[in-house]
Amino acid sequence: MSNKILVAIDGSEGGKRALGAAVEYAKLTHSSLILSYIIDWSPYSFHTPEELDERQKRRESEIQRAHDSILNPEIEALGDQNLSIETVVRHGKIAEALKNIADEYKATQIYIGKLGESRVRSMIFGSVTAALVQTSLLPVTVVP
Amino acid sequence: MKKLLLLFSLVFIPFTNVYAGIDEAINNATAPIATFIGKVVFFKVPVFGAQLPLVVLWLVVGAVFFTFYMRFINVRGFKHAIQLVRGDYSDPKSHGEVSHFQALATAVSGTVGIGNIGGVAVAVTVGGAGATFWLIVAGILGMSTKFVECTLGVKYRQEFEDGHVSGGPMYYLRQGFSDRGMAGFGKFMGTFYAVGIFIGALGIGNMFQSNQAYVQLNTVAGGGLDGFGWLIGLILAGVVFSVIIGGIKSIARVTEKIVPFMAIFYCIFAIIVILMNIGSLPQAVSNIFTGAFTGEGVAGGALGAMIIGFQRAVFSNEAGIGSASIAHSAVKTNEPVTEGVVSLLEPFIDTIVICTITALVIGTAQVADPNFANGAQGVAMTSAAFQREFSWFPLPLAFAALLFAFSTMISWSYYGLKGWTYLFGESEKGQTAYKLIFCAFVALGCIVELGPILDISDALVFLICVPNILGLYFLAPIVKREMESYFARIESGEIKKFK
């Protein structure tokens, strides 16, 4: 059975380093990669009726934008390294959504950057990386 | 944007130049219209000495029928509604779409309005404590009506190519009747409803709200704003203008976020006030029950109390009007029934929880001191009941009332807009014209007195119940089939839980 590595990309430097490390490992072990970008979203937020009306349209454009401006440039930057790469964009809470994707795509491990967010934010809301490490059932590699 | 602002000021500057006596002039002009519309819509038949408006009977019979026909979906579906709102059945793959919680929260912000604070006081003043009992009964029955209309709203909504959706009674009336071979009639009903929701949006969802917000502000200011209705109206209209035309969504977003907290804050304080008056509570509760069946001191006795209770309940939770169906249609789901089930919670939160709490605050105050309100009515009466315990309470209450009014106006501006676009198409210019009219009515609402305003908006909103409920009867078998199939698939495990 081949390895599948799920890499969390968020457009930050930390995410880029995580991808770099994952690529090296994948080449060594002939694993395939799943690049994922999570759009932070909560089902419990409040909106005006007009916003709800436009939600579907917005969702599609958000997904499109994530592909165009974050995932695709990363893949292009990698160049042709003879790797099998899939991409996934999802809405949701980051740690939870990554876990769901890992389940769905039957990933065997997860790579994530250490510095994805500001210090203040992680002090108040807790770090996404820490949450993932705590709850994941798969090996998680945190790339500094 | 600048052009619009200019246009806006051109419409309103004449108002500001006139002295405060304008209030009176407009009042005198609207009163006869209100009386006439009221007489037509609330055509009354005498029943056992009480005057029963036919339209109220129409609503109650509808709600009772749907409760039985859907086999008490209002009770059966309750637990499932909470599971749906919690997201137990939402596929993580479809995250990012409008969630059940969001659709419900938006619809509730639209219905939790001044009716919950002031409308209950009106009911208790006119219909006695017993009206509260019937208000709750109407809320429970109204849950079934809501279920039917919201299921249909999703089922027959129209999805446009750019991804936005329009739904609501005008669409299900047109399509539903057409499916039954009555295309012409369906078209007529859809148009009738669209005209009604458009005018209703200017009344119940607009003038009534801004009027009560003004009254409340004036009470807090100790009458210092007497004759300045036009000024408050102008300011309110300006804020609404900046949101719905100026596209300053941040204001709306902030209100949408504050309103739920305000509602919780309101309920917590109401419960504290009730607890502080715990000695009067048993008497207040007993008044509600005895009043419901004896109707002591109420014109028309028990039936009189019942009529008032039902009337105010509909005015508050909008079951049977079809408005919520427009808001719920935005949900992305393959199962229209799920949205119907979720919408059950709306009359529950609005009428059964919030209205009952308000009624108990007023009821306990009345037991302790029958003259506590000093003749005050509407929101002012509720405010007086709170003031007995917390002298500072009118201030945050006024603020809450203002926000409730504002979020209701924003929601209704959307409902009215959907009526408008149904009639005149989706053109940008047309939509702007509608929004300008809407703002003008916000200002107008603060200028005229409560009496005629309440009559006009009450009447118009009840009028659109006629085509809506007629349509619900015709389409109920479709809803029933969908409902049975849906629950059978839940039972068999074909529809999976994700949590």
Side-chain angles (χ1 to χ4, degrees), chain B residues 65 87 129 141 209 227 292 314 316 396 401 407 483 493:
Chain B
F65 172 79
L141 294 172
Q209 305 292 335
V314 176
S316 173
S407 76
M483 175 186 82

Side-chain angles (χ1 to χ4, degrees), chain B residues 369-449:
Chain B
D369 174 11
N371 291 319
F372 76 96
N374 246 333
Q377 283 184 354
V379 181
M381 183 180 185
T382 312
S383 186
F386 274 100
Q387 203 176 356
R388 289 183 63 243
E389 304 303 335
F390 300 109
S391 59
W392 48 266
F393 203 80
L395 204 63
L397 188 69
F399 184 60
L402 199 66
L403 284 177
F404 284 162
F406 183 72
S407 76
T408 303
M409 283 193 276
I410 298 294
S411 292
W412 272 86
S413 78
Y414 177 78
Y415 300 157
L417 182 68
K418 288 288 151 178
W420 176 277
T421 55
Y422 178 88
L423 294 169
F424 304 114
E426 310 262 332
S427 98
E428 283 292 326
K429 264 190 192 158
Q431 296 195 24
T432 311
Y434 160 79
K435 287 170 180 174
L436 280 172
I437 297 171
F438 192 85
C439 291
F441 274 78
V442 172
L444 206 62
C446 294
I447 295 168
V448 288
E449 259 175 38

Side-chain angles (χ1 to χ4, degrees), chain B residues 14-16 18-28 227 229-230 447-448:
Chain B
F15 274 128
T16 55
V18 200
Y19 64 105
I22 195 165
D23 286 21
E24 208 177 318
I26 291 184
N27 232 344
N28 292 341
W230 59 270
I447 295 168
V448 288

